[in-house]
Amino acid sequence: MIKESKKFGIAIHGGAGTIVRELLTPEREQAYLAALEQALNTSYTLLEKGGSAMDAVEKAVRSLEDSPLFNAGRGSVFTADGTHEMDASIMDGATRQAGAAAGVTGVRNPIMLARHIMEHSSHIILAGQGAERFAKQQGLQFEAEEYFFVKQRYDQWQQVKGSDTTALDHSEDRKFGTVGAVALDVHGNMAAATSTGGMTNKQFGRVGDSPIIGAGTWADNNTCAISCTGDGEYFIRAVAAYDVACLMEYKGLSLEAACDEVVMNKLRTAGGEGGLIGIDKEGSIVLCFNTLGMYRGMRDSSGQQKTAIFK
């Protein structure tokens, strides 16, 4: 029987980047904060009632996927072909089981597909049409193309359509629009989840770090749970999420020190912009980024709670 802990908490992110306050109207800023608070509070309530970290991170990411404000699920950016190719992953810190989906179209909540892959298949990653076929077998909800149409995303695509240029979500403010969540439950278990629509005008079935276990997502009860957001190619080469856990396990670094080493030193030195959120087995939460801002929030059982965008 698992020894229960009174400590629990959750952290979420909605993307990081050069988010300039002057380009964000007060109304839009409040809309972002409200969406973050909704995702945060519904998941926290679940944890408060003794729910699992896995359920909490899935619920939080699903809420962010349903919002048109974030580049995941409904708000996903347009590919070069004018479609939406979404990626997601989820990992259970208690068992180190994981599931991921890459390059899927039409699936309302890719994070649910990632979890179904983990729990109802013998695989970790399914991609493209095969992943979609599996989603239909599992009875997951699909939406028509119109559901994923957000005019702001369409306008961003029009600026680079027909070129070889890709844009990282917002061309005007360089926001990396991945969403994610990490949680610790009262049973001492951790989980992490990440979801994204990728890059505007992306070609050739490009896949970033979000569905790659160890790069964009990691969870292990012995160390931490991590969800990343940023320039995916850099996070993949750095194996960023797992690197935080390694620094904790093998060098004895705290969660905060490990996150700083990866985000502020390793990634930034290589030219990688972005950030990550993390929680450890003691309930400590870190929201770390090397950009001007990151849509983020956290709430824990000690009474701490915040949502923020800028540094």
Side-chain angles (χ1 to χ4, degrees):
M1 188 173 185
I2 298 171
K3 182 180 179 181
E4 296 202 353
S5 166
K6 292 182 180 179
K7 295 179 181 178
F8 61 92
I10 184 163
I12 61 174
H13 69 75
T18 310
I19 306 166
V20 182
R21 189 182 294 272
E22 290 73 20
L23 295 178
L24 202 62
T25 65
E27 294 79 14
R28 195 160 180 82
E29 181 176 349
Q30 285 307 309
Y32 274 111
L33 292 173
L36 288 168
E37 286 176 6
Q38 180 180 350
L40 193 65
N41 291 334
T42 56
S43 300
Y44 181 84
T45 300
L46 187 154
L47 290 170
E48 196 172 33
K49 293 178 179 178
S52 72
M54 281 289 291
D55 287 344
V57 296
E58 182 192 340
K59 190 179 186 72
V61 169
R62 203 165 69 228
S63 178
L64 296 171
E65 286 177 338
D66 288 341
S67 170
L69 293 172
F70 303 100
N71 177 19
R74 186 180 181 189
S76 293
V77 296
F78 286 80
T79 68
D81 295 327
T83 61
H84 306 276
E85 292 180 0
M86 299 169 286
D87 309 324
S89 64
I90 193 167
M91 187 168 184
D92 183 349
T95 63
R96 298 219 320 208
Q97 293 293 309
V104 297
T105 299
V107 179
R108 180 187 175 105
N109 293 110
I111 197 62
M112 293 181 69
L113 174 54
R115 186 165 182 181
H116 275 256
I117 290 168
M118 184 189 86
E119 294 181 343
H120 302 291
S121 83
S122 58
H123 309 298
I124 293 178
I125 302 177
L126 295 181
Q129 293 181 352
E132 293 159 21
R133 190 162 69 247
F134 178 78
K136 289 174 182 176
Q137 288 179 358
Q138 293 295 305
L140 296 182
Q141 187 172 348
F142 279 70
E143 298 288 351
E145 288 182 16
E146 293 76 19
Y147 173 81
F148 300 96
F149 183 92
V150 175
K151 189 176 187 304
Q152 182 189 9
R153 303 290 189 227
Y154 182 78
D155 291 343
Q156 291 165 5
W157 177 46
Q158 292 303 300
Q159 294 175 22
V160 293
K161 181 182 177 182
S163 71
D164 292 329
T165 302
T166 56
L168 289 157
D169 190 5
H170 288 333
S171 55
E172 70 271 19
D173 66 359
R174 288 180 58 78
K175 181 173 78 65
F176 309 113
T178 309
V179 306
V182 296
L184 168 71
D185 63 33
V186 295
H187 311 289
N189 295 321
M190 288 183 280
T194 311
S195 180
T196 187
M199 291 180 170
T200 295
N201 207 46
K202 67 180 180 179
Q203 303 177 59
F204 314 117
R206 179 262 183 189
V207 174
D209 65 306
S210 296
I212 298 177
I213 302 303
T217 303
W218 183 259
D220 180 355
N221 280 4
N222 293 319
T223 52
C224 60
I226 301 291
S227 175
C228 300
T229 172
D231 194 340
E233 278 67 18
Y234 290 92
F235 280 71
I236 292 169
R237 287 195 290 264
V239 200
Y242 181 55
D243 204 27
V244 173
C246 283
L247 288 168
M248 294 177 68
E249 184 172 2
Y250 301 127
K251 294 193 73 175
L253 268 62
S254 67
L255 175 64
E256 183 175 12
C259 290
D260 282 346
E261 175 61 29
V262 172
V263 175
M264 309 308 290
N265 293 332
K266 185 176 183 179
L267 283 168
R268 188 157 63 178
T269 299
E273 294 183 347
L276 55 79
I277 56 173
I279 192 167
D280 68 15
K281 60 185 179 181
E282 303 301 326
S284 298
I285 291 174
V286 171
L287 312 168
C288 184
F289 52 100
N290 61 25
T291 53
L292 288 182
M294 180 169 74
Y295 297 97
R296 62 199 188 276
M298 61 79 66
R299 188 175 179 187
D300 67 20
S301 53
S302 71
Q304 293 189 86
Q305 179 177 1
K306 74 173 181 178
T307 53
I309 300 173
F310 308 102
K311 282 191 175 178

